[in-house]
Amino acid sequence: MACACSCPLQDFTLKVIQTIAAIPAGKVATYGQIAAMAGNHRAARQVSRVLHTCSHKYQLPWHRVIGAAGKITLPKDHSSHLKQKKKLQQEGIEFGLSDTIDLSLYQWPG
DNA sequence: TGCTTGACATGGG
DNA sequence: CCCCATGCCAAGC
């Protein structure tokens, strides 16, 4: 339910935010998955945008959102990449040899 | 109002 | 394994 008066967010975006916020610790979700849950499986890119725009505002667990390959989508140059990896490890998620997460074990079923 | 952008996804080289 | 091209859609400017 989105209030059209004071909520600048669209319905899709709001769903995305709620979906991300609902990801439990120790689990991860892919952009496409979140987009699909929000209603548009093609809007995976917007999920990333929502993450950037709202993570700081809504305190979203952005580190639990990864790419479909089970990898962190941030460039290694970025300082947040290592941060995200550490956070996930602290939540019990184990990484493979190439910083790869086994989605069959850790992907959030929704 | 309209074009550009983007923490993606998928497939091929 | 890594890099490139295409589709797709909303947020930003």
Side-chain angles (χ1 to χ4, degrees), chain A residues 78-95:
Chain A
H78 208 280
S79 56
S80 296
H81 177 255
L82 184 62
K83 263 181 137 185
Q84 180 173 16
K85 184 179 176 182
K86 287 194 89 173
K87 281 176 178 258
L88 292 174
Q89 287 179 325
Q90 287 175 10
E91 295 183 351
I93 296 174
E94 296 180 21
F95 284 72

Side-chain angles (χ1 to χ4, degrees), chain A residues 50-89:
Chain A
V50 172
L51 231 55
H52 266 279
T53 308
C54 306
S55 60
H56 130 86
K57 295 181 181 176
Y58 297 82
Q59 300 181 333
L60 296 176
W62 57 272
H63 54 272
R64 293 183 197 146
V65 185
I66 60 176
K71 293 184 182 178
I72 298 176
T73 53
L74 287 136
K76 290 174 182 158
D77 303 11
H78 208 280
S79 56
S80 296
H81 177 255
L82 184 62
K83 263 181 137 185
Q84 180 173 16
K85 184 179 176 182
K86 287 194 89 173
K87 281 176 178 258
L88 292 174
Q89 287 179 325

Side-chain angles (χ1 to χ4, degrees), chain A residues 4-20:
Chain A
C5 48
S6 59
C7 294
L9 300 176
Q10 296 298 316
D11 184 63
F12 169 75
T13 307
L14 185 61
K15 282 187 177 180
V16 170
I17 293 173
Q18 292 179 340
T19 302
I20 296 172

